[in-house]
Amino acid sequence: MHLLISLCLAGISFVFVFLVWYPDHLSSASGANQIFLMLLAIDSILGPCITLIIFNPKKKELKWDLAVIAVVQLSALLYGLHAMFIARPAYIVFNVDRFDIVYANDFSDEKLAKVKNLQFQHLPVLRPQIIAARRPTDINERNALLFSSVNGGDDLPQLPQYYVNYSEMTEEVSKHAHALQELNQYNRGQSERVTNIATKYEKLGTKIGFLPLKGKIDHLTVIVDLKTAEVLDIIDLKPW
C-alpha cells in the first residue's frame, strides 16, 4: 500500500513537472530530468523500503513509526517539488535572432519593480509564456546592457523591463528563421527525422523554418511558421 501511494504521488508530480512547469523538452534543456529522477528514487523507493524493513504487526509503535516515515517522505517530496517550481522556466524569450529560456529564479523583486508593463510584473505560475525582448533605444542603456552581458551578468532576456508581447516582434522572428535543412548538418543520423518534420507541415500547407532555443544545460530547436512566426513546435534537435 505504501508503494502504491508513493507511485500515485510520483505520477501527480510527473504531470506537474513534465507537462506543466517543464513542457516540450524544456526539462532536458534545463537539467530537470536528473533532479526529478533522483527525487523519485529517494522518495518513492526509499520510503516503502524503510516501511518494509520496520514493518511488524506485533510492534506497538508501528503506527507512530509509519506516521513518521510518511511525514518525512511527504516533506522531502514537497521540498523537491518546491525547488523545481522556483527554478521553473518562466518565459521563452525571442532575443534578436534566437529564443532563450528564462527561469523564475532569474528574477528578483528589484528587477520586477522596474517593469512598467503590468503583464510582466508577475511571473507565470504554470506553463512558460512565449514573449519577446526589445533592445533599448537609449545609448546609455545599450552600453550598460553590453557591459553587463560581456562581464557575465544579465543579458537582454533576463531584464523584464524590455519585454514585449511576442506579436510585436513577429517580423524579426520570420526574418531570422533558418531553413529546416540546416538541421541536418548539426544532427548527424537524424536526417529522416528532419524530413518527417518538413513533410508533416508541407501536408498542412505551412512553410516553416527554425530558430535556436538556448537552455541552461542543452539547446533545442523551435519550429516556426515563416508567414505568421507562430511557434509550432519545440523539438530536441541541435540548432547549431
Side-chain angles (χ1 to χ4, degrees), residues 147-170:
F147 183 80
S148 174
S149 61
V150 167
N151 287 277
D154 291 326
D155 201 352
L156 185 64
Q158 287 80 39
L159 298 172
Q161 65 265 37
Y162 300 121
Y163 287 176
V164 297
N165 289 320
Y166 181 69
S167 58
E168 297 183 31
M169 300 285 286
T170 52

PDB file of all heavy atoms in Angstrom, residues 147-170:
ATOM      1  N   PHE A 147      27.851  45.970 -21.432  1.00  0.00           N
ATOM      2  CA  PHE A 147      28.850  45.789 -20.379  1.00  0.00           C
ATOM      3  C   PHE A 147      28.457  44.641 -19.452  1.00  0.00           C
ATOM      4  O   PHE A 147      29.292  43.821 -19.058  1.00  0.00           O
ATOM      5  CB  PHE A 147      28.996  47.092 -19.583  1.00  0.00           C
ATOM      6  CG  PHE A 147      30.047  47.024 -18.512  1.00  0.00           C
ATOM      7  CD1 PHE A 147      31.397  47.175 -18.821  1.00  0.00           C
ATOM      8  CD2 PHE A 147      29.693  46.799 -17.183  1.00  0.00           C
ATOM      9  CE1 PHE A 147      32.369  47.106 -17.833  1.00  0.00           C
ATOM     10  CE2 PHE A 147      30.658  46.731 -16.192  1.00  0.00           C
ATOM     11  CZ  PHE A 147      32.000  46.884 -16.521  1.00  0.00           C
ATOM     12  N   SER A 148      27.164  44.570 -19.110  1.00  0.00           N
ATOM     13  CA  SER A 148      26.665  43.513 -18.222  1.00  0.00           C
ATOM     14  C   SER A 148      26.823  42.137 -18.849  1.00  0.00           C
ATOM     15  O   SER A 148      27.324  41.199 -18.212  1.00  0.00           O
ATOM     16  CB  SER A 148      25.203  43.773 -17.878  1.00  0.00           C
ATOM     17  OG  SER A 148      24.658  42.697 -17.139  1.00  0.00           O
ATOM     18  N   SER A 149      26.422  41.999 -20.120  1.00  0.00           N
ATOM     19  CA  SER A 149      26.475  40.693 -20.783  1.00  0.00           C
ATOM     20  C   SER A 149      27.904  40.236 -21.014  1.00  0.00           C
ATOM     21  O   SER A 149      28.226  39.053 -20.858  1.00  0.00           O
ATOM     22  CB  SER A 149      25.716  40.744 -22.112  1.00  0.00           C
ATOM     23  OG  SER A 149      26.285  41.697 -22.989  1.00  0.00           O
ATOM     24  N   VAL A 150      28.802  41.163 -21.368  1.00  0.00           N
ATOM     25  CA  VAL A 150      30.207  40.820 -21.615  1.00  0.00           C
ATOM     26  C   VAL A 150      30.879  40.334 -20.343  1.00  0.00           C
ATOM     27  O   VAL A 150      31.738  39.448 -20.360  1.00  0.00           O
ATOM     28  CB  VAL A 150      30.955  42.029 -22.212  1.00  0.00           C
ATOM     29  CG1 VAL A 150      32.462  41.799 -22.179  1.00  0.00           C
ATOM     30  CG2 VAL A 150      30.502  42.279 -23.642  1.00  0.00           C
ATOM     31  N   ASN A 151      30.471  40.880 -19.206  1.00  0.00           N
ATOM     32  CA  ASN A 151      31.076  40.524 -17.927  1.00  0.00           C
ATOM     33  C   ASN A 151      30.327  39.415 -17.195  1.00  0.00           C
ATOM     34  O   ASN A 151      30.523  39.225 -15.997  1.00  0.00           O
ATOM     35  CB  ASN A 151      31.161  41.770 -17.040  1.00  0.00           C
ATOM     36  CG  ASN A 151      32.235  42.743 -17.494  1.00  0.00           C
ATOM     37  OD1 ASN A 151      33.413  42.582 -17.166  1.00  0.00           O
ATOM     38  ND2 ASN A 151      31.836  43.746 -18.251  1.00  0.00           N
ATOM     39  N   GLY A 152      29.489  38.686 -17.931  1.00  0.00           N
ATOM     40  CA  GLY A 152      28.817  37.539 -17.351  1.00  0.00           C
ATOM     41  C   GLY A 152      27.583  37.865 -16.534  1.00  0.00           C
ATOM     42  O   GLY A 152      27.081  37.013 -15.799  1.00  0.00           O
ATOM     43  N   GLY A 153      27.087  39.100 -16.635  1.00  0.00           N
ATOM     44  CA  GLY A 153      25.888  39.493 -15.912  1.00  0.00           C
ATOM     45  C   GLY A 153      24.634  39.242 -16.733  1.00  0.00           C
ATOM     46  O   GLY A 153      24.626  38.425 -17.653  1.00  0.00           O
ATOM     47  N   ASP A 154      23.586  39.967 -16.398  1.00  0.00           N
ATOM     48  CA  ASP A 154      22.314  39.801 -17.100  1.00  0.00           C
ATOM     49  C   ASP A 154      22.417  40.285 -18.540  1.00  0.00           C
ATOM     50  O   ASP A 154      23.021  41.329 -18.822  1.00  0.00           O
ATOM     51  CB  ASP A 154      21.210  40.578 -16.385  1.00  0.00           C
ATOM     52  CG  ASP A 154      20.849  39.972 -15.042  1.00  0.00           C
ATOM     53  OD1 ASP A 154      20.916  38.732 -14.933  1.00  0.00           O
ATOM     54  OD2 ASP A 154      20.491  40.726 -14.118  1.00  0.00           O
ATOM     55  N   ASP A 155      21.807  39.515 -19.437  1.00  0.00           N
ATOM     56  CA  ASP A 155      21.681  39.927 -20.830  1.00  0.00           C
ATOM     57  C   ASP A 155      20.225  40.331 -21.060  1.00  0.00           C
ATOM     58  O   ASP A 155      19.395  40.273 -20.147  1.00  0.00           O
ATOM     59  CB  ASP A 155      22.109  38.782 -21.754  1.00  0.00           C
ATOM     60  CG  ASP A 155      22.499  39.283 -23.137  1.00  0.00           C
ATOM     61  OD1 ASP A 155      22.288  40.482 -23.424  1.00  0.00           O
ATOM     62  OD2 ASP A 155      23.005  38.479 -23.941  1.00  0.00           O
ATOM     63  N   LEU A 156      19.898  40.678 -22.266  1.00  0.00           N
ATOM     64  CA  LEU A 156      18.562  41.182 -22.595  1.00  0.00           C
ATOM     65  C   LEU A 156      17.427  40.262 -22.115  1.00  0.00           C
ATOM     66  O   LEU A 156      16.456  40.758 -21.528  1.00  0.00           O
ATOM     67  CB  LEU A 156      18.464  41.401 -24.115  1.00  0.00           C
ATOM     68  CG  LEU A 156      17.173  42.026 -24.630  1.00  0.00           C
ATOM     69  CD1 LEU A 156      17.007  43.449 -24.082  1.00  0.00           C
ATOM     70  CD2 LEU A 156      17.180  42.051 -26.169  1.00  0.00           C
ATOM     71  N   PRO A 157      17.515  38.933 -22.298  1.00  0.00           N
ATOM     72  CA  PRO A 157      16.390  38.080 -21.881  1.00  0.00           C
ATOM     73  C   PRO A 157      16.131  38.058 -20.379  1.00  0.00           C
ATOM     74  O   PRO A 157      15.031  37.719 -19.945  1.00  0.00           O
ATOM     75  CB  PRO A 157      16.814  36.678 -22.366  1.00  0.00           C
ATOM     76  CG  PRO A 157      17.804  36.923 -23.435  1.00  0.00           C
ATOM     77  CD  PRO A 157      18.535  38.152 -23.022  1.00  0.00           C
ATOM     78  N   GLN A 158      17.125  38.407 -19.561  1.00  0.00           N
ATOM     79  CA  GLN A 158      16.966  38.382 -18.106  1.00  0.00           C
ATOM     80  C   GLN A 158      16.485  39.717 -17.529  1.00  0.00           C
ATOM     81  O   GLN A 158      16.384  39.858 -16.312  1.00  0.00           O
ATOM     82  CB  GLN A 158      18.281  37.999 -17.429  1.00  0.00           C
ATOM     83  CG  GLN A 158      18.660  36.535 -17.557  1.00  0.00           C
ATOM     84  CD  GLN A 158      19.280  36.214 -18.892  1.00  0.00           C
ATOM     85  OE1 GLN A 158      20.066  36.997 -19.426  1.00  0.00           O
ATOM     86  NE2 GLN A 158      18.939  35.062 -19.442  1.00  0.00           N
ATOM     87  N   LEU A 159      16.175  40.682 -18.396  1.00  0.00           N
ATOM     88  CA  LEU A 159      15.771  42.009 -17.934  1.00  0.00           C
ATOM     89  C   LEU A 159      14.324  42.281 -18.363  1.00  0.00           C
ATOM     90  O   LEU A 159      14.070  42.686 -19.503  1.00  0.00           O
ATOM     91  CB  LEU A 159      16.715  43.070 -18.509  1.00  0.00           C
ATOM     92  CG  LEU A 159      18.184  42.917 -18.075  1.00  0.00           C
ATOM     93  CD1 LEU A 159      19.079  43.881 -18.824  1.00  0.00           C
ATOM     94  CD2 LEU A 159      18.321  43.112 -16.570  1.00  0.00           C
ATOM     95  N   PRO A 160      13.376  42.066 -17.467  1.00  0.00           N
ATOM     96  CA  PRO A 160      11.953  42.118 -17.846  1.00  0.00           C
ATOM     97  C   PRO A 160      11.444  43.498 -18.242  1.00  0.00           C
ATOM     98  O   PRO A 160      10.363  43.602 -18.833  1.00  0.00           O
ATOM     99  CB  PRO A 160      11.236  41.601 -16.586  1.00  0.00           C
ATOM    100  CG  PRO A 160      12.186  41.867 -15.461  1.00  0.00           C
ATOM    101  CD  PRO A 160      13.555  41.698 -16.051  1.00  0.00           C
ATOM    102  N   GLN A 161      12.183  44.566 -17.942  1.00  0.00           N
ATOM    103  CA  GLN A 161      11.721  45.894 -18.351  1.00  0.00           C
ATOM    104  C   GLN A 161      11.742  46.068 -19.865  1.00  0.00           C
ATOM    105  O   GLN A 161      11.134  47.012 -20.392  1.00  0.00           O
ATOM    106  CB  GLN A 161      12.553  47.003 -17.686  1.00  0.00           C
ATOM    107  CG  GLN A 161      14.014  47.063 -18.087  1.00  0.00           C
ATOM    108  CD  GLN A 161      14.903  46.307 -17.112  1.00  0.00           C
ATOM    109  OE1 GLN A 161      14.516  45.257 -16.601  1.00  0.00           O
ATOM    110  NE2 GLN A 161      16.089  46.839 -16.854  1.00  0.00           N
ATOM    111  N   TYR A 162      12.429  45.144 -20.566  1.00  0.00           N
ATOM    112  CA  TYR A 162      12.492  45.230 -22.025  1.00  0.00           C
ATOM    113  C   TYR A 162      11.560  44.222 -22.709  1.00  0.00           C
ATOM    114  O   TYR A 162      11.606  44.066 -23.925  1.00  0.00           O
ATOM    115  CB  TYR A 162      13.934  45.003 -22.499  1.00  0.00           C
ATOM    116  CG  TYR A 162      14.904  46.017 -21.937  1.00  0.00           C
ATOM    117  CD1 TYR A 162      15.999  45.616 -21.168  1.00  0.00           C
ATOM    118  CD2 TYR A 162      14.729  47.378 -22.157  1.00  0.00           C
ATOM    119  CE1 TYR A 162      16.894  46.538 -20.641  1.00  0.00           C
ATOM    120  CE2 TYR A 162      15.620  48.312 -21.631  1.00  0.00           C
ATOM    121  CZ  TYR A 162      16.686  47.881 -20.875  1.00  0.00           C
ATOM    122  OH  TYR A 162      17.555  48.809 -20.345  1.00  0.00           O
ATOM    123  N   TYR A 163      10.728  43.559 -21.939  1.00  0.00           N
ATOM    124  CA  TYR A 163       9.826  42.556 -22.512  1.00  0.00           C
ATOM    125  C   TYR A 163       8.674  43.219 -23.269  1.00  0.00           C
ATOM    126  O   TYR A 163       8.146  44.253 -22.846  1.00  0.00           O
ATOM    127  CB  TYR A 163       9.239  41.661 -21.419  1.00  0.00           C
ATOM    128  CG  TYR A 163      10.209  40.662 -20.819  1.00  0.00           C
ATOM    129  CD1 TYR A 163       9.817  39.844 -19.758  1.00  0.00           C
ATOM    130  CD2 TYR A 163      11.501  40.526 -21.286  1.00  0.00           C
ATOM    131  CE1 TYR A 163      10.687  38.923 -19.199  1.00  0.00           C
ATOM    132  CE2 TYR A 163      12.382  39.614 -20.743  1.00  0.00           C
ATOM    133  CZ  TYR A 163      11.965  38.814 -19.685  1.00  0.00           C
ATOM    134  OH  TYR A 163      12.829  37.911 -19.130  1.00  0.00           O
ATOM    135  N   VAL A 164       8.289  42.580 -24.368  1.00  0.00           N
ATOM    136  CA  VAL A 164       7.113  42.993 -25.143  1.00  0.00           C
ATOM    137  C   VAL A 164       6.351  41.739 -25.545  1.00  0.00           C
ATOM    138  O   VAL A 164       6.863  40.620 -25.435  1.00  0.00           O
ATOM    139  CB  VAL A 164       7.513  43.794 -26.401  1.00  0.00           C
ATOM    140  CG1 VAL A 164       8.209  45.090 -26.032  1.00  0.00           C
ATOM    141  CG2 VAL A 164       8.388  42.958 -27.327  1.00  0.00           C
ATOM    142  N   ASN A 165       5.139  41.925 -26.000  1.00  0.00           N
ATOM    143  CA  ASN A 165       4.363  40.792 -26.496  1.00  0.00           C
ATOM    144  C   ASN A 165       5.038  40.189 -27.722  1.00  0.00           C
ATOM    145  O   ASN A 165       5.602  40.920 -28.552  1.00  0.00           O
ATOM    146  CB  ASN A 165       2.939  41.225 -26.863  1.00  0.00           C
ATOM    147  CG  ASN A 165       2.099  41.550 -25.638  1.00  0.00           C
ATOM    148  OD1 ASN A 165       2.191  40.862 -24.626  1.00  0.00           O
ATOM    149  ND2 ASN A 165       1.305  42.601 -25.724  1.00  0.00           N
ATOM    150  N   TYR A 166       4.951  38.902 -27.840  1.00  0.00           N
ATOM    151  CA  TYR A 166       5.585  38.200 -28.961  1.00  0.00           C
ATOM    152  C   TYR A 166       5.073  38.722 -30.304  1.00  0.00           C
ATOM    153  O   TYR A 166       5.838  38.808 -31.284  1.00  0.00           O
ATOM    154  CB  TYR A 166       5.320  36.706 -28.837  1.00  0.00           C
ATOM    155  CG  TYR A 166       5.948  35.859 -29.917  1.00  0.00           C
ATOM    156  CD1 TYR A 166       7.323  35.698 -29.989  1.00  0.00           C
ATOM    157  CD2 TYR A 166       5.155  35.223 -30.872  1.00  0.00           C
ATOM    158  CE1 TYR A 166       7.902  34.923 -30.985  1.00  0.00           C
ATOM    159  CE2 TYR A 166       5.727  34.438 -31.862  1.00  0.00           C
ATOM    160  CZ  TYR A 166       7.098  34.297 -31.921  1.00  0.00           C
ATOM    161  OH  TYR A 166       7.663  33.529 -32.908  1.00  0.00           O
ATOM    162  N   SER A 167       3.801  39.085 -30.357  1.00  0.00           N
ATOM    163  CA  SER A 167       3.197  39.550 -31.610  1.00  0.00           C
ATOM    164  C   SER A 167       3.859  40.813 -32.151  1.00  0.00           C
ATOM    165  O   SER A 167       3.777  41.107 -33.340  1.00  0.00           O
ATOM    166  CB  SER A 167       1.697  39.798 -31.406  1.00  0.00           C
ATOM    167  OG  SER A 167       1.487  40.745 -30.380  1.00  0.00           O
ATOM    168  N   GLU A 168       4.533  41.573 -31.284  1.00  0.00           N
ATOM    169  CA  GLU A 168       5.192  42.806 -31.720  1.00  0.00           C
ATOM    170  C   GLU A 168       6.507  42.558 -32.450  1.00  0.00           C
ATOM    171  O   GLU A 168       7.053  43.473 -33.084  1.00  0.00           O
ATOM    172  CB  GLU A 168       5.443  43.719 -30.513  1.00  0.00           C
ATOM    173  CG  GLU A 168       4.186  44.195 -29.810  1.00  0.00           C
ATOM    174  CD  GLU A 168       4.496  45.146 -28.663  1.00  0.00           C
ATOM    175  OE1 GLU A 168       5.516  45.869 -28.764  1.00  0.00           O
ATOM    176  OE2 GLU A 168       3.730  45.177 -27.683  1.00  0.00           O
ATOM    177  N   MET A 169       7.021  41.329 -32.377  1.00  0.00           N
ATOM    178  CA  MET A 169       8.335  41.040 -32.956  1.00  0.00           C
ATOM    179  C   MET A 169       8.284  39.929 -34.003  1.00  0.00           C
ATOM    180  O   MET A 169       9.316  39.355 -34.338  1.00  0.00           O
ATOM    181  CB  MET A 169       9.304  40.635 -31.840  1.00  0.00           C
ATOM    182  CG  MET A 169       9.514  41.696 -30.770  1.00  0.00           C
ATOM    183  SD  MET A 169      10.549  43.069 -31.302  1.00  0.00           S
ATOM    184  CE  MET A 169      12.158  42.291 -31.290  1.00  0.00           C
ATOM    185  N   THR A 170       7.102  39.641 -34.504  1.00  0.00           N
ATOM    186  CA  THR A 170       6.973  38.504 -35.435  1.00  0.00           C
ATOM    187  C   THR A 170       7.753  38.705 -36.734  1.00  0.00           C
ATOM    188  O   THR A 170       8.266  37.739 -37.300  1.00  0.00           O
ATOM    189  CB  THR A 170       5.489  38.240 -35.753  1.00  0.00           C
ATOM    190  OG1 THR A 170       4.881  39.468 -36.179  1.00  0.00           O
ATOM    191  CG2 THR A 170       4.762  37.718 -34.525  1.00  0.00           C
TER     192      THR A 170
END
